[in-house]
Structures are given as structure tokens and as C-alpha cells.
Amino acid sequence: MIEISTSSATTTVVVSGDLDLAARDQFPGIAARIVGLRRQLLVIDLAQVTFMDSTGAAFLISLADASRKRGGATVLRGAGDRDLFVLEVCGALDLFRIDPDGASDDARPA
């Protein structure tokens, strides 16, 4: 499941469960919604992710790339070692700031 919330300058995306090929049909709509919010900071909370494959990594990379193109930044919060390894193998770890804490951002639903 993917939940989106916002504050005045931040969009927070909380992902729980698997972020993989089975979820890919959701990705275009979610990405369009996030990009449309146009916040400077994108926080992606992965503390509740149980599995991520290269399809999930590609989704995160596309979000970070879109944020960067708008002059924003993307933070990965609570990512596990395996999640970071997948992003590193994809050559994309440098697109993200890493926050090892799993705490959710205090934000209101978008």
C-alpha cells in the first residue's frame, strides 16, 4: 500500500508491504499525483516495506528524478539494507538522501 500526505513544503510517501512488479500498475497514477503536488522535498518512508525488486526501485528512481528536475530533493527514510542494495545495484543511490529513522512525517492527507 502507498499513502501520500503533504505539509507546506513536503510530500511524504509511506510504502508498506511489497514494492515490486505486482504493484507496478499503481505507479503511473501515484507518480502523477506526487509530481502534481510540486513540493520541494519528497520523503519516501520505506520502514514498512517487506520486499522491493528492480521494478519498485525504478519507481523510486523515477520519483527522485522528477523531484530533482524541479530543483527538489528526495529523502529515503527507514530503508533497509536490502532496499539500499537494490538501489545501489541500479546505480541510483546518489539520487537520494538517506535517513535511517523509521518515524513518519507529521503531515496531513493529500
Side-chain angles (χ1 to χ4, degrees):
M1 176 177 2
I2 299 174
E3 296 178 16
I4 302 168
S5 58
T6 62
S7 68
S8 59
T10 305
T11 297
T12 301
V13 179
V14 178
V15 184
S16 58
D18 294 347
L19 189 61
D20 61 5
L21 184 63
R24 76 172 177 191
D25 291 342
Q26 303 175 57
F27 296 164
I30 291 169
R33 185 171 174 207
I34 292 167
V35 170
L37 292 169
R38 298 196 176 280
R39 299 300 196 272
Q40 280 299 109
L41 182 61
L42 174 60
V43 176
I44 303 172
D45 189 330
L46 300 179
Q48 299 175 33
V49 169
T50 53
F51 175 77
M52 180 175 70
D53 67 5
S54 60
T55 306
F59 171 62
L60 298 181
I61 292 165
S62 71
L63 294 178
D65 190 50
S67 179
R68 186 183 56 154
K69 286 179 180 176
R70 290 189 324 272
T74 303
V75 174
L76 285 183
R77 177 181 292 151
D81 291 340
R82 188 183 191 301
D83 304 323
L84 296 174
F85 176 75
V86 171
L87 291 167
E88 183 177 23
V89 167
C90 292
L93 204 51
D94 61 336
L95 292 173
F96 303 92
R97 294 184 200 164
I98 308 301
D99 177 1
D101 294 333
S104 294
D105 204 359
D106 182 51
R108 58 185 162 77

